[in-house]
Amino acid sequence: MMSSRIDQLLNEMTLEEKVSLLSGEDFWSVPAIPRLGIGKLRVTDGPNGARGGGSLIGGVKSASFPVGIALGATWNIELVTEIGAALADEVKSKGAHMLLAPTVNIHRSVTNGRNFECYSEDPVLTAELAVGYIKGLQGQGIGATIKHFAGNESEIERTTISSEIGERALREIYLVPFEHAVKKAGTWGVMSSYNRLNGTYTSEHNWLLSTVLRDEWGYDGIVMSDWFGSHSTAPTVNAGLDLEMPGPARDRGQKLVDAVNAGEVSQETLDKRVLAMLRLMERVGSLDDHRTHEERADDRPEHRALIRRAGAEAAVLLKNNGVLPLTGSGKIAVIGPNAKVAQIMGGGSAQLNAHYRISPWQGLETALGSGRLDFAAGCTNHRFEPVLQGPFSVEYFANQTLSGEPVHIDTMEGAQAFWIGNVAAGKVDPLHFSARLRGQFVPETSGEHRVGIYSAGFAKVFVDGKLIADAWSSWTKGRTFFEEGCDEVVGTLPLEAGRPHEVVIEFATKDFATLGLAAFACGIGRPLGDEAIAEAVEVARNAETATIFIGRNGEWDTEGSDLPGIVLPGRQNELVEAVAAANPRTVVVLQTGGPVEMPWADRVAAILEAWYPGQEAGNAIADVLTGAAEPGGRLPQTFPVRWADNPAHSQDREVYPGLEGKVRYEEGIFVGYRHYDRVGMTPLYPFGFGLGYTSFALSDLVVDDSAFESDGNVVVSLAVANTGDRPGSTVVQLYVSDEKSSEPRPAKELKAFEKVHLQPGETRSVTLLLDARAFAWYREAAQHWLVEAGSFTISLGQSASDLPLSASLTRATTLMLPV
């Protein structure tokens, strides 16, 4: 519906004013139109926080919430809704009106670098959580921007590759979260993906943006491009892309004015795009927002508590031989590269400058006291050398040759930068400048050190006047900085403990491929050898319980780069084997953005997957380990025994990672647990699995199928009882099987679920509703959903491999459903 005010504004706007609303003014805003009293629309990156208008590094501090896969592991729609509302507070604190979130692409493979940011391998779990997130956010007047629409399931050649996906797989798997976001949550924003879909860029894909999204689903919000993700003028506007981001305009502006005047874009089409923007601005209140832009760091106690609670509810207990929760008063060995480093988030556009970071060591120290804890690092797990900390002086030059006098002098806290928008107080062109940094490094130990540099631009590192690492002379595109940067270049040299060594970094911008940015990171590290593992073994041997904090970090789990595999980086597997041999009470705490291979799983006493749970990471983990909180998580993604077991792994490179500009979704609808069922393979840990500190029983299944024949609806109820002696939670999961279909279908598909919290001895009735779509598959030839005549089985339990309750249903007729 169009308000009379919007109608009036549209009628009063000139062609140039209309066009101005269809492109960004700068990196984060859409321009105001003062003549008509139209305020500026501002957006900010998410989804695990609200960064504001600053760089990926530094900037105004923000609350860091659990990442997407952690929220997926909660299976708790109410909790995710609560987080959405809290994120609305964060967006407001940054003076913005819209959050670029949630991310709902499907976990097609186990190596997608951005899986951490997405919820699940399952479309229904993803969709229901996305609906909660959007309702929480928009209920507070902040617009959601669900992304990336569609087919962005890997980070390899992500800005150009064509995802080749059949329509049935699109309809049944990859489009489901977006469909629910439109039909159930009424999302105000959709972001198109970078990639092509079946040969056409999604930003100019008429079938996707107009036929499906608007005509079939009835969407009335806006579609914006991913940053630098639009590639044309008339084709994007005509296909349904409302907003080109970021600004200033590249393919719009005067080009769009000319296209309208030439008849390449009709006035009617232009007005549709402008009306969508005005409707959004009215919804989020930016039409009348004429305040001076201000960003605040609101460190709210209620957000701290919510993040801590959500982190514990996301933690998945995969194994427990009675060692958890921690009891007694003996020594606890705290071991591993993630023990004293708070791994709170993944990498890429989801990064932000958190208010604080609590490490597992700090969490356990607060809970148990430092006197009970002994530490050993054991090994490292970084992808890049640890960033060199400052301070650094920085000289900026208004050229790319470091020549002449600097036009601006500043300081930096560390040897890393992500320059976008305003650089050097606006005294240089952000895409054409150079900079020289000077600082010092004081080694803690003497010996051979590694100096690493990677950059989106040209860079060199000098130590004590000698060139050590050169990413300038033979710069080659790699997998850093959203595929705009090179891979790390590393040099070595001996350094002396306690002696200040001068470090000089030279940087110059270069032409970019897709994303206009300049960035670098420089680090210095000392490799850990056999002695570090030996020290960890000794610490573990002298402790009552050994806890090992291992996994990955945001250098590995990051936008712009897929993982090379799912083996733990470095010597972490070796460390676990050695510690477990020394202490049978070994607890492994994983922090990853997805599955890892665990060759030691049968030799440790307990395994906890804690993901990246936000700024309260260490406190949330300590709460679970000590029993102050229940490990409430259940796996949102199947953990395979090995990388080669996952659905997208193939000897055919076009299936994954892609070949000659195409990645073919050969597995179709058989993603995640559907694949393992199809091939008869037992995973390491199944979808939906997770243990707790209490036990549950499911019983008294009742299925009301009285309306199944007429309209396809079914009502399922059952009793859930906490049979243990602690409060706890479980997830009731309902799967549907079509016993005989005319086309291949998965052995079972998740269609409903509910998170249930119960006190000891408490029993509760749970009711789950199924509509006709829960029994349907998409028939490409006829362009409709089809529920076939025949028998269906409903199975219920607590994971995809634990389904003790079942019932059969039968239909005598077929039922056709519209798209």
Side-chain angles (χ1 to χ4, degrees):
M1 293 292 293
M2 183 170 60
S3 73
S4 57
R5 181 187 182 192
I6 287 177
D7 189 22
Q8 181 180 349
L9 284 172
L10 181 70
N11 290 333
E12 293 177 359
M13 294 171 75
T14 66
L15 173 59
E16 288 74 14
E17 287 170 336
K18 290 178 180 179
V19 167
S20 73
L21 291 185
L22 304 185
S23 295
E25 178 180 55
D26 52 34
F27 228 76
W28 304 113
S29 70
V30 175
I33 303 179
R35 183 182 74 85
L36 299 176
I38 296 175
K40 185 175 297 195
L41 172 73
R42 292 187 176 87
V43 304
T44 179
D45 250 327
N48 54 290
R51 186 172 64 248
S55 167
L56 297 185
I57 299 165
V60 178
K61 291 189 173 183
S62 305
S64 174
F65 286 77
V67 299
I69 196 170
L71 298 187
T74 70
W75 291 64
N76 190 332
I77 299 170
E78 291 182 0
L79 175 64
V80 174
T81 304
E82 191 177 351
I83 287 172
L87 285 168
D89 294 334
E90 287 293 301
V91 174
K92 292 173 184 177
S93 76
K94 299 303 182 285
H97 309 97
M98 202 165 193
L99 186 66
L100 305 180
T103 309
V104 297
N105 297 102
I106 299 297
H107 297 163
R108 176 190 177 230
S109 74
V110 294
T111 49
N112 178 17
R114 215 165 179 179
N115 275 348
F116 78 90
E117 197 175 320
C118 310
Y119 295 137
S120 174
E121 70 185 30
D122 184 81
V124 169
L125 176 56
T126 298
E128 294 296 340
L129 294 176
V131 167
Y133 186 105
I134 293 166
K135 285 184 175 179
L137 193 64
Q138 293 187 170
Q140 303 301 313
I142 296 298
T145 316
I146 193 167
K147 59 187 186 182
H148 306 87
F149 194 54
N152 180 196
E153 273 72 43
S154 76
E155 292 297 291
I156 297 173
E157 298 180 14
R158 70 197 188 116
T159 59
T160 57
I161 203 161
S162 177
S163 298
E164 303 291 305
I165 314 174
E167 186 177 353
R168 185 180 172 200
L170 279 169
R171 297 280 192 174
E172 294 189 23
I173 304 293
Y174 299 101
L175 297 185
V176 171
F178 298 97
E179 183 181 7
H180 280 227
V182 171
K183 293 180 176 179
K184 293 187 176 183
T187 186
W188 297 340
V190 172
M191 180 185 289
S192 62
S193 53
Y194 282 123
N195 54 280
R196 305 173 195 255
L197 179 64
N198 297 323
T200 301
Y201 279 113
T202 63
S203 59
E204 51 194 58
H205 204 297
N206 186 75
W207 177 82
L208 189 66
L209 304 187
S210 288
T211 301
V212 174
L213 183 62
R214 291 188 170 91
D215 298 343
E216 294 178 0
W217 297 349
Y219 180 60
D220 68 352
I222 72 153
V223 180
M224 71 171 68
S225 73
D226 206 335
W227 267 227
F228 302 96
S230 59
H231 305 275
S232 62
T233 303
T236 61
V237 177
N238 289 333
L241 187 77
D242 300 295
L243 178 62
E244 173 199 57
M245 287 298 286
R250 298 175 310 282
D251 294 313
R252 298 195 174 181
Q254 187 59 46
K255 291 181 181 179
L256 182 50
V257 171
D258 294 343
V260 173
N261 288 331
E264 297 170 9
V265 174
S266 70
Q267 188 68 52
E268 179 185 10
T269 297
L270 182 74
D271 285 354
K272 284 182 181 179
R273 304 290 164 257
V274 176
L275 282 171
M277 289 298 300
L278 290 171
R279 189 183 303 117
L280 169 69
M281 297 169 83
E282 185 174 55
R283 283 168 166 167
V284 300
S286 70
L287 273 181
D288 299 311
D289 188 351
H290 305 291
R291 297 171 297 172
T292 301
H293 184 222
E294 178 187 359
E295 297 191 4
R296 306 185 311 276
D298 284 351
D299 184 7
R300 300 189 178 197
E302 64 270 26
H303 289 178
R304 289 185 171 210
L306 175 59
I307 292 166
R308 183 169 181 167
R309 173 161 54 92
E313 189 156 345
V316 183
L317 185 60
L318 297 172
K319 180 179 180 179
N320 188 18
N321 287 348
V323 70
L324 294 178
L326 296 172
T327 57
S329 57
K331 280 281 187 180
I332 298 173
V334 182
I335 295 167
N338 286 355
K340 284 194 172 182
V341 180
Q343 304 296 356
I344 69 172
M345 68 182 90
S349 60
Q351 290 176 216
L352 49 78
N353 189 15
H355 292 303
Y356 56 87
R357 297 166 176 250
I358 305 296
S359 71
W361 171 272
Q362 291 170 309
L364 287 170
E365 187 177 42
T366 299
L368 301 174
S370 58
R372 289 187 60 189
L373 309 179
D374 285 329
F375 170 74
C379 67
T380 62
N381 66 354
H382 54 250
R383 177 180 174 188
F384 308 116
E385 296 306 316
V387 171
L388 182 58
Q389 297 305 306
F392 283 85
S393 64
V394 191
E395 297 175 326
Y396 291 92
F397 301 85
N399 54 65
Q400 293 167 277
T401 57
L402 296 153
S403 57
E405 293 297 316
V407 297
H408 184 67
I409 297 175
D410 209 336
T411 59
M412 291 172 54
E413 294 181 2
Q416 60 179 338
F418 192 93
W419 287 299
I420 53 174
N422 188 303
V423 178
K427 296 177 182 178
V428 300
D429 181 336
L431 298 177
H432 298 91
F433 73 94
S434 55
R436 180 180 288 115
L437 291 79
R438 297 182 186 273
Q440 292 184 336
F441 173 65
V442 182
E444 294 182 0
T445 59
S446 297
E448 197 79 2
H449 283 68
R450 289 166 54 88
V451 180
I453 183 81
Y454 56 99
S455 58
F458 302 114
K460 294 179 180 179
V461 186
F462 300 84
V463 179
D464 295 335
K466 181 179 179 181
L467 177 62
I468 303 300
D470 185 353
W472 190 309
S473 303
S474 56
W475 188 97
T476 303
K477 183 179 179 180
R479 299 178 300 144
T480 63
F481 296 120
F482 312 103
E483 294 189 316
E484 291 288 345
C486 63
D487 290 331
E488 186 179 37
V489 177
V490 177
T492 62
L493 82 165
L495 296 177
E496 181 182 338
R499 176 192 157 196
H501 294 270
E502 183 190 46
V503 178
V504 175
I505 302 164
E506 294 182 347
F507 176 89
T509 58
K510 63 178 295 296
D511 293 340
F512 60 90
T514 303
L515 309 181
L517 57 90
F520 82 91
C522 175
I524 299 181
R526 179 100 193 277
L528 295 181
D530 294 344
E531 71 284 353
I533 292 181
E535 180 187 2
V537 167
E538 188 63 22
V539 168
R541 184 176 290 118
N542 293 323
E544 179 180 80
T545 303
T547 57
I548 310 179
F549 296 86
I550 57 172
R552 299 193 294 254
N553 54 43
E555 296 173 348
W556 297 102
D557 289 301
T558 182
E559 181 179 356
S561 175
D562 272 12
L563 295 159
I566 59 170
V567 174
L568 284 166
R571 301 180 68 179
Q572 293 182 97
N573 281 338
E574 187 179 347
L575 174 64
V576 175
E577 298 276 9
V579 169
N583 190 327
R585 291 174 53 85
T586 291
V587 178
V588 174
V589 179
L590 288 164
Q591 285 198 264
T592 65
V596 294
E597 295 179 12
M598 304 183 205
W600 34 259
D602 62 348
R603 291 186 288 282
V604 299
I607 304 170
L608 182 74
E609 173 60 82
W611 319 107
Y612 304 126
Q615 64 193 30
E616 285 282 335
N619 286 333
I621 291 169
D623 285 346
V624 171
L625 293 178
T626 61
E630 171 85 0
R634 302 296 183 264
L635 288 182
Q637 185 180 22
T638 306
F639 275 37
V641 174
R642 57 191 184 126
W643 179 27
D645 295 343
N646 96 95
H649 194 279
S650 175
Q651 298 302 312
D652 184 346
R653 288 184 58 82
E654 192 174 278
V655 173
Y656 184 85
L659 182 66
E660 297 180 354
K662 295 181 180 180
V663 57
R664 189 176 80 253
Y665 288 39
E666 181 73 16
E667 70 285 353
I669 61 173
F670 294 94
V671 180
Y673 62 88
R674 296 164 172 81
H675 161 79
Y676 297 93
D677 286 347
R678 185 190 194 190
V679 299
M681 183 184 296
T682 301
L684 182 62
Y685 295 107
F687 176 77
F689 175 77
L691 304 172
Y693 294 152
T694 187
S695 56
F696 293 87
L698 278 56
S699 63
D700 301 333
L701 176 64
V702 177
V703 177
D704 179 0
D705 61 351
S706 58
F708 187 44
E709 186 69 42
S710 59
D711 57 23
N713 293 340
V714 175
V715 180
V716 179
S717 62
L718 71 158
V720 184
N722 182 344
T723 57
D725 57 4
R726 285 178 55 102
S729 63
T730 190
V731 178
V732 178
Q733 302 167 38
L734 186 156
Y735 297 79
V736 171
S737 304
D738 188 343
E739 296 305 320
K740 187 177 181 181
S741 174
S742 60
E743 291 289 333
R745 296 193 68 178
K748 61 178 178 289
E749 296 177 276
L750 181 75
K751 294 299 179 182
F753 63 90
E754 185 168 327
K755 188 77 172 276
V756 184
H757 294 81
L758 297 174
Q759 295 297 314
E762 183 183 3
T763 299
R764 186 179 305 164
S765 177
V766 172
T767 299
L768 301 171
L769 306 178
L770 300 175
D771 62 12
R773 272 280 293 270
F775 302 92
W777 59 278
Y778 186 76
R779 194 178 183 189
E780 286 189 28
Q783 299 284 291
H784 64 225
W785 292 89
L786 181 67
V787 184
E788 292 187 293
S791 297
F792 296 83
T793 299
I794 294 174
S795 303
L796 295 99
Q798 298 178 77
S799 81
S801 64
D802 173 25
L803 300 169
L805 303 182
S806 65
S808 294
L809 310 174
T810 302
R811 284 187 58 87
T813 60
T814 60
L815 179 62
M816 291 180 290
L817 308 171
V819 289

